[in-house]
Amino acid sequence: KNQVEQSPQSLIILEGKNCTLQCNYTVSPFSNLRWYKQDTGRGPVSLTIMTFSENTKSNGRYTATLDADTKQSSLHITASQLSDSASYICVVSLEGTFGNEKLTFGTGTRLTIIP
Amino acid sequence: EAQVTQNPRYLITVTGKKLTVTCSQNMNHEYMSWYRQDPGLGLRQIYYSMNVEVTDKGDVPEGYKVSRKEKRNFPLILESPSPNQTSLYFCASTSGGALNEQFFGPGTRLTVL
């Protein structure tokens, strides 16, 4: 069964600190892995998308890594800001034709930044 | 501004009263989807559409209908809502290209009493 598991479920850190969120998946055949940021009451917004051949991708203070062999990904946030408080969702895409691409969503990590 | 819009943003209704949630995108995308998000569960796909007049079931289609008469619009229809359809609903539009990036609407919070 294709699954995406994220840890921790929730995390509280002080403003300015770094943190790392984890994602393990069993989706196969794998196409790409995405990290989304979802603010409370809003729709998810894409942070990074990585194919199996990429092992790291950055978007400002967000850096995602991917190990396709162990089927693990992480999202590292540097110098956290209050605006980073959100849920972070890992999404893995099953290989398929365009328009019929099958996405498996994790349940997210709820990150809270405190001043 | 490129965006996906949904209306209404909040809706409280009663069991059995038909309702429609509208979704519109201005990016000329062919592929659109509807998802529901429930506590403790990842987003689950309800229906998707690959183009005008082409729709298909996702993972949890029971109790829902969709239509795609125009490229920009993809309404979600609940013919006879039930309390188990109380959820947060998202419409998404997908770009072309190798990565098929998804753009999500702001969400519609539906409560069925």
Coordinates of all heavy atoms in Angstrom, one line a residue, chain B residues 7-65:
Chain B
N7 N -15.8 29.3 -4.0 CA -16.9 30.0 -3.3 C -18.0 29.0 -3.0 O -18.3 28.1 -3.9 CB -17.5 31.1 -4.1 CG -16.6 32.4 -4.1 OD1 -16.6 33.0 -3.0 ND2 -16.0 32.7 -5.1
P8 N -18.6 29.0 -1.8 CA -18.3 30.0 -0.8 C -17.1 29.5 0.0 O -16.6 28.4 -0.2 CB -19.5 29.9 0.1 CG -20.1 28.5 0.0 CD -19.8 28.1 -1.5
R9 N -16.5 30.3 0.9 CA -15.4 29.9 1.7 C -15.9 29.1 3.0 O -15.2 28.2 3.5 CB -14.7 31.1 2.2 CG -13.9 31.9 1.1 CD -12.8 31.1 0.6 NE -11.9 30.5 1.6 CZ -11.0 31.1 2.3 NH1 -10.8 32.4 2.0 NH2 -10.3 30.5 3.2
Y10 N -17.1 29.4 3.4 CA -17.7 28.8 4.6 C -19.2 28.5 4.2 O -19.9 29.3 3.7 CB -17.6 29.6 5.8 CG -16.2 30.0 6.2 CD1 -15.7 31.2 5.7 CD2 -15.4 29.2 7.0 CE1 -14.4 31.6 6.0 CE2 -14.1 29.6 7.4 CZ -13.6 30.8 6.9 OH -12.4 31.1 7.2
L11 N -19.7 27.3 4.6 CA -21.0 27.0 4.4 C -21.5 26.0 5.5 O -20.9 25.0 5.7 CB -21.2 26.3 3.0 CG -22.6 25.9 2.6 CD1 -23.5 27.1 2.5 CD2 -22.5 25.2 1.2
I12 N -22.7 26.4 6.0 CA -23.4 25.5 7.0 C -24.7 25.1 6.4 O -25.4 26.0 6.0 CB -23.6 26.1 8.4 CG1 -22.2 26.5 9.0 CG2 -24.3 25.2 9.3 CD1 -22.3 27.3 10.3
T13 N -25.0 23.9 6.2 CA -26.2 23.4 5.6 C -26.8 22.3 6.4 O -26.3 21.8 7.4 CB -26.0 23.1 4.2 OG1 -27.3 22.9 3.5 CG2 -25.2 21.8 4.1
V14 N -28.0 21.8 5.9 CA -28.6 20.7 6.6 C -28.6 19.5 5.7 O -28.5 19.6 4.5 CB -30.1 21.0 7.0 CG1 -30.1 22.2 8.1 CG2 -30.9 21.5 5.8
T15 N -28.8 18.3 6.3 CA -28.8 17.1 5.5 C -29.8 17.1 4.4 O -31.0 17.5 4.6 CB -29.1 15.9 6.5 OG1 -28.0 15.9 7.5 CG2 -29.1 14.6 5.8
G16 N -29.4 16.7 3.2 CA -30.3 16.6 2.1 C -30.5 17.8 1.2 O -31.1 17.7 0.2
K17 N -30.0 18.9 1.6 CA -30.2 20.1 0.9 C -29.0 20.3 -0.1 O -27.9 20.6 0.2 CB -30.2 21.4 1.8 CG -30.6 22.6 1.0 CD -30.8 23.8 2.0 CE -31.1 25.1 1.3 NZ -31.3 26.2 2.2
K18 N -29.4 20.2 -1.4 CA -28.3 20.2 -2.5 C -27.5 21.5 -2.4 O -28.0 22.6 -2.2 CB -29.0 20.1 -3.8 CG -28.1 20.1 -5.0 CD -28.8 20.0 -6.4 CE -27.9 20.1 -7.5 NZ -28.6 19.9 -8.8
L19 N -26.2 21.3 -2.7 CA -25.4 22.5 -2.7 C -24.3 22.3 -3.8 O -23.9 21.2 -4.2 CB -24.7 22.7 -1.3 CG -23.8 21.7 -0.8 CD1 -22.3 22.1 -1.2 CD2 -23.8 21.6 0.7
T20 N -23.7 23.5 -4.2 CA -22.7 23.5 -5.2 C -21.5 24.4 -4.7 O -21.8 25.5 -4.2 CB -23.1 24.0 -6.5 OG1 -24.2 23.2 -7.0 CG2 -22.0 24.1 -7.5
V21 N -20.3 23.9 -4.7 CA -19.1 24.7 -4.4 C -18.4 25.0 -5.8 O -18.1 24.1 -6.5 CB -18.2 24.0 -3.5 CG1 -17.0 24.9 -3.1 CG2 -18.9 23.5 -2.2
T22 N -18.3 26.3 -6.0 CA -17.7 26.6 -7.3 C -16.1 26.7 -7.2 O -15.6 27.0 -6.1 CB -18.2 28.0 -7.8 OG1 -17.8 29.0 -6.9 CG2 -19.7 28.0 -7.9
C23 N -15.5 26.5 -8.3 CA -14.0 26.6 -8.4 C -13.7 27.2 -9.8 O -14.2 26.7 -10.8 CB -13.4 25.2 -8.3 SG -11.6 25.2 -8.6
S24 N -12.8 28.1 -9.8 CA -12.4 28.7 -11.0 C -10.9 29.0 -11.0 O -10.4 29.4 -10.0 CB -13.2 30.1 -11.2 OG -12.9 30.6 -12.5
Q25 N -10.2 28.8 -12.2 CA -8.8 29.1 -12.3 C -8.6 30.0 -13.5 O -9.3 29.8 -14.5 CB -8.0 27.8 -12.3 CG -8.4 26.8 -13.4 CD -7.7 26.8 -14.7 OE1 -6.7 27.6 -14.9 NE2 -8.1 25.9 -15.6
N26 N -7.6 30.9 -13.4 CA -7.3 31.8 -14.5 C -6.0 31.5 -15.2 O -5.3 32.4 -15.8 CB -7.3 33.2 -14.0 CG -6.3 33.5 -13.0 OD1 -5.5 32.6 -12.6 ND2 -6.3 34.7 -12.4
M27 N -5.5 30.2 -15.1 CA -4.1 29.9 -15.6 C -4.2 29.0 -16.9 O -3.2 28.5 -17.3 CB -3.4 29.1 -14.5 CG -3.1 30.0 -13.3 SD -2.4 29.1 -11.9 CE -3.9 28.5 -11.2
N28 N -5.4 28.8 -17.3 CA -5.6 28.0 -18.6 C -5.1 26.6 -18.4 O -4.7 26.0 -19.4 CB -5.0 28.7 -19.8 CG -5.6 28.2 -21.1 OD1 -6.8 28.0 -21.2 ND2 -4.7 28.0 -22.1
H29 N -5.2 26.1 -17.2 CA -4.8 24.7 -17.0 C -5.9 23.7 -17.4 O -7.1 24.0 -17.3 CB -4.5 24.5 -15.5 CG -3.3 25.2 -15.0 ND1 -3.1 25.4 -13.6 CD2 -2.3 25.7 -15.6 CE1 -1.9 26.0 -13.5 NE2 -1.4 26.3 -14.7
E30 N -5.4 22.6 -18.0 CA -6.4 21.6 -18.4 C -6.8 20.7 -17.2 O -8.0 20.2 -17.2 CB -5.7 20.7 -19.5 CG -5.5 21.5 -20.8 CD -4.9 20.6 -21.9 OE1 -4.4 19.5 -21.6 OE2 -4.8 21.1 -23.0
Y31 N -5.9 20.4 -16.3 CA -6.2 19.4 -15.3 C -6.6 20.1 -14.0 O -5.9 21.0 -13.5 CB -4.9 18.6 -15.0 CG -5.1 17.4 -14.1 CD1 -5.8 16.3 -14.5 CD2 -4.5 17.4 -12.8 CE1 -5.9 15.2 -13.7 CE2 -4.7 16.4 -12.0 CZ -5.3 15.2 -12.4 OH -5.5 14.2 -11.6
M32 N -7.7 19.7 -13.4 CA -8.2 20.2 -12.1 C -8.7 19.1 -11.3 O -9.1 18.0 -11.8 CB -9.4 21.2 -12.4 CG -9.0 22.4 -13.2 SD -10.3 23.6 -13.5 CE -10.4 24.3 -11.8
S33 N -8.7 19.3 -10.0 CA -9.1 18.3 -9.0 C -9.8 18.9 -7.8 O -9.7 20.1 -7.5 CB -7.8 17.6 -8.4 OG -7.0 17.0 -9.3
W34 N -10.6 18.0 -7.1 CA -11.2 18.3 -5.9 C -10.6 17.4 -4.8 O -10.5 16.2 -5.0 CB -12.7 18.2 -5.9 CG -13.4 19.4 -6.4 CD1 -13.9 19.7 -7.6 CD2 -13.6 20.7 -5.7 NE1 -14.5 20.9 -7.7 CE2 -14.3 21.5 -6.5 CE3 -13.3 21.1 -4.4 CZ2 -14.7 22.8 -6.1 CZ3 -13.7 22.3 -4.0 CH2 -14.4 23.2 -4.8
Y35 N -10.3 18.0 -3.6 CA -9.8 17.2 -2.5 C -10.7 17.5 -1.3 O -11.2 18.6 -1.2 CB -8.4 17.5 -2.2 CG -7.4 17.1 -3.2 CD1 -7.1 18.0 -4.2 CD2 -6.7 15.9 -3.1 CE1 -6.1 17.6 -5.2 CE2 -5.8 15.5 -4.1 CZ -5.5 16.4 -5.1 OH -4.6 16.0 -6.1
R36 N -10.7 16.6 -0.3 CA -11.2 16.9 1.0 C -10.1 16.6 2.0 O -9.3 15.8 1.8 CB -12.5 16.1 1.3 CG -12.3 14.6 1.4 CD -13.7 14.0 1.8 NE -14.0 14.2 3.2 CZ -15.2 13.8 3.7 NH1 -16.1 13.2 3.0 NH2 -15.3 14.0 5.0
Q37 N -10.1 17.4 3.1 CA -9.1 17.3 4.1 C -9.8 17.2 5.5 O -10.5 18.0 5.9 CB -8.2 18.5 4.1 CG -7.0 18.4 5.1 CD -6.1 19.6 5.0 OE1 -6.5 20.7 4.8 NE2 -4.8 19.4 5.1
D38 N -9.5 16.1 6.1 CA -10.1 15.8 7.4 C -9.0 15.6 8.5 O -7.9 15.1 8.1 CB -10.9 14.5 7.3 CG -12.1 14.6 6.3 OD1 -13.0 15.4 6.6 OD2 -12.0 14.0 5.3
P39 N -9.3 15.9 9.7 CA -8.3 15.8 10.8 C -7.6 14.4 10.8 O -8.3 13.4 10.8 CB -9.1 16.1 12.0 CG -10.2 16.9 11.6 CD -10.6 16.4 10.2
G40 N -6.3 14.4 10.9 CA -5.6 13.1 11.0 C -5.5 12.3 9.7 O -4.8 11.3 9.7
L41 N -6.0 12.9 8.6 CA -5.9 12.2 7.3 C -5.2 13.2 6.3 O -5.4 14.4 6.4 CB -7.3 11.8 6.8 CG -8.1 10.8 7.6 CD1 -9.4 10.6 7.0 CD2 -7.3 9.5 7.7
G42 N -4.5 12.7 5.4 CA -4.0 13.5 4.3 C -5.1 13.9 3.4 O -6.2 13.3 3.4
L43 N -4.8 14.9 2.5 CA -5.8 15.2 1.5 C -6.1 14.0 0.7 O -5.3 13.2 0.3 CB -5.2 16.3 0.6 CG -5.4 17.8 1.1 CD1 -4.3 18.1 2.1 CD2 -5.3 18.7 -0.1
R44 N -7.4 13.9 0.4 CA -7.9 12.8 -0.4 C -8.6 13.3 -1.7 O -9.5 14.2 -1.5 CB -8.8 11.8 0.4 CG -8.1 11.1 1.5 CD -9.0 10.3 2.3 NE -10.0 11.1 3.1 CZ -11.1 10.6 3.6 NH1 -11.3 9.3 3.6 NH2 -11.9 11.4 4.3
Q45 N -8.3 12.7 -2.8 CA -8.9 13.2 -4.0 C -10.3 12.7 -4.2 O -10.6 11.5 -4.1 CB -8.0 12.8 -5.2 CG -8.4 13.5 -6.5 CD -7.5 13.0 -7.7 OE1 -7.4 11.8 -8.0 NE2 -6.9 13.9 -8.3
I46 N -11.2 13.6 -4.6 CA -12.6 13.2 -4.8 C -12.9 13.0 -6.2 O -13.4 11.9 -6.6 CB -13.5 14.4 -4.3 CG1 -13.3 14.7 -2.8 CG2 -15.0 14.0 -4.5 CD1 -14.0 16.0 -2.3
Y47 N -12.6 13.9 -7.1 CA -12.8 13.8 -8.5 C -11.7 14.6 -9.2 O -11.1 15.5 -8.6 CB -14.1 14.4 -9.0 CG -15.2 13.4 -9.1 CD1 -16.1 13.2 -8.0 CD2 -15.5 12.6 -10.2 CE1 -17.2 12.3 -8.1 CE2 -16.5 11.7 -10.3 CZ -17.3 11.5 -9.3 OH -18.4 10.6 -9.3
Y48 N -11.4 14.3 -10.4 CA -10.5 15.1 -11.2 C -11.0 15.2 -12.6 O -11.9 14.5 -13.1 CB -9.1 14.5 -11.2 CG -8.9 13.2 -11.8 CD1 -8.5 13.1 -13.2 CD2 -9.0 12.0 -11.1 CE1 -8.3 11.8 -13.8 CE2 -8.8 10.8 -11.7 CZ -8.5 10.7 -13.0 OH -8.3 9.5 -13.6
S49 N -10.5 16.2 -13.3 CA -10.8 16.4 -14.7 C -9.6 16.7 -15.5 O -8.8 17.5 -15.2 CB -11.8 17.6 -14.8 OG -12.0 18.0 -16.2
M50 N -9.5 16.0 -16.7 CA -8.3 16.2 -17.5 C -8.5 17.2 -18.6 O -7.6 17.7 -19.2 CB -7.9 14.8 -18.1 CG -7.5 13.8 -17.1 SD -7.1 12.2 -17.8 CE -5.7 12.5 -18.8
N51 N -9.8 17.6 -18.8 CA -10.1 18.6 -19.8 C -11.6 18.8 -19.8 O -12.3 18.2 -19.1 CB -9.6 18.3 -21.2 CG -9.1 19.5 -22.0 OD1 -9.7 20.6 -21.8 ND2 -8.1 19.3 -22.8
V52 N -12.1 19.7 -20.6 CA -13.5 20.0 -20.7 C -14.2 18.7 -21.1 O -13.8 18.0 -22.0 CB -13.8 21.1 -21.8 CG1 -15.3 21.3 -22.0 CG2 -13.1 22.4 -21.4
E53 N -15.3 18.4 -20.3 CA -16.1 17.3 -20.5 C -15.4 15.9 -20.2 O -16.0 14.9 -20.5 CB -16.7 17.2 -21.9 CG -17.5 18.5 -22.3 CD -18.9 18.6 -21.6 OE1 -19.2 17.7 -20.7 OE2 -19.6 19.5 -21.8
V54 N -14.3 16.0 -19.6 CA -13.6 14.7 -19.2 C -13.3 14.8 -17.7 O -12.5 15.5 -17.2 CB -12.2 14.6 -19.9 CG1 -11.5 13.3 -19.5 CG2 -12.4 14.7 -21.4
T55 N -14.1 13.9 -17.0 CA -13.9 13.8 -15.5 C -13.8 12.4 -15.1 O -14.3 11.5 -15.9 CB -15.1 14.5 -14.8 OG1 -16.3 13.7 -15.1 CG2 -15.3 15.9 -15.2
D56 N -13.3 12.1 -13.9 CA -13.1 10.8 -13.5 C -13.1 10.8 -11.9 O -12.7 11.8 -11.3 CB -11.9 10.1 -14.0 CG -12.1 8.5 -14.1 OD1 -13.1 8.0 -13.5 OD2 -11.3 7.9 -14.7
K57 N -13.4 9.6 -11.4 CA -13.4 9.5 -9.9 C -12.0 9.4 -9.3 O -11.1 8.9 -9.9 CB -14.1 8.2 -9.5 CG -15.6 8.2 -9.9 CD -16.2 6.8 -9.6 CE -17.7 6.8 -10.0 NZ -18.3 5.5 -9.8
G58 N -11.9 10.0 -8.1 CA -10.7 9.9 -7.4 C -10.8 8.8 -6.3 O -11.4 7.8 -6.6
D59 N -10.3 9.0 -5.2 CA -10.3 8.0 -4.1 C -11.6 7.9 -3.3 O -11.9 6.9 -2.8 CB -9.1 8.2 -3.2 CG -7.8 8.1 -3.9 OD1 -7.6 7.2 -4.7 OD2 -6.9 8.9 -3.6
V60 N -12.3 9.1 -3.2 CA -13.5 9.1 -2.3 C -14.6 9.8 -3.0 O -15.1 10.9 -2.6 CB -13.1 9.8 -1.0 CG1 -12.3 8.9 -0.1 CG2 -12.4 11.1 -1.2
P61 N -15.1 9.3 -4.2 CA -16.1 10.0 -5.0 C -17.6 9.9 -4.5 O -18.4 10.6 -4.9 CB -16.0 9.3 -6.3 CG -15.6 7.9 -6.0 CD -14.7 8.0 -4.7
E62 N -17.8 9.0 -3.6 CA -19.2 8.7 -3.2 C -19.9 9.9 -2.6 O -19.4 10.5 -1.7 CB -19.3 7.5 -2.2 CG -18.8 6.2 -2.7 CD -17.3 6.1 -2.8 OE1 -16.6 6.8 -2.1 OE2 -16.8 5.2 -3.6
G63 N -21.1 10.2 -3.1 CA -21.8 11.4 -2.6 C -21.5 12.7 -3.3 O -22.1 13.7 -2.9
Y64 N -20.6 12.7 -4.3 CA -20.2 13.9 -5.0 C -20.4 13.8 -6.5 O -20.4 12.7 -7.0 CB -18.8 14.2 -4.7 CG -18.4 14.3 -3.3 CD1 -17.8 13.2 -2.6 CD2 -18.5 15.5 -2.6 CE1 -17.5 13.3 -1.3 CE2 -18.1 15.6 -1.2 CZ -17.6 14.5 -0.6 OH -17.3 14.6 0.7
K65 N -20.6 14.9 -7.1 CA -20.7 15.0 -8.6 C -19.8 16.2 -9.0 O -19.7 17.1 -8.2 CB -22.1 15.1 -9.1 CG -22.9 13.9 -9.0 CD -24.4 14.2 -9.5 CE -24.5 14.8 -10.8 NZ -25.9 15.0 -11.3

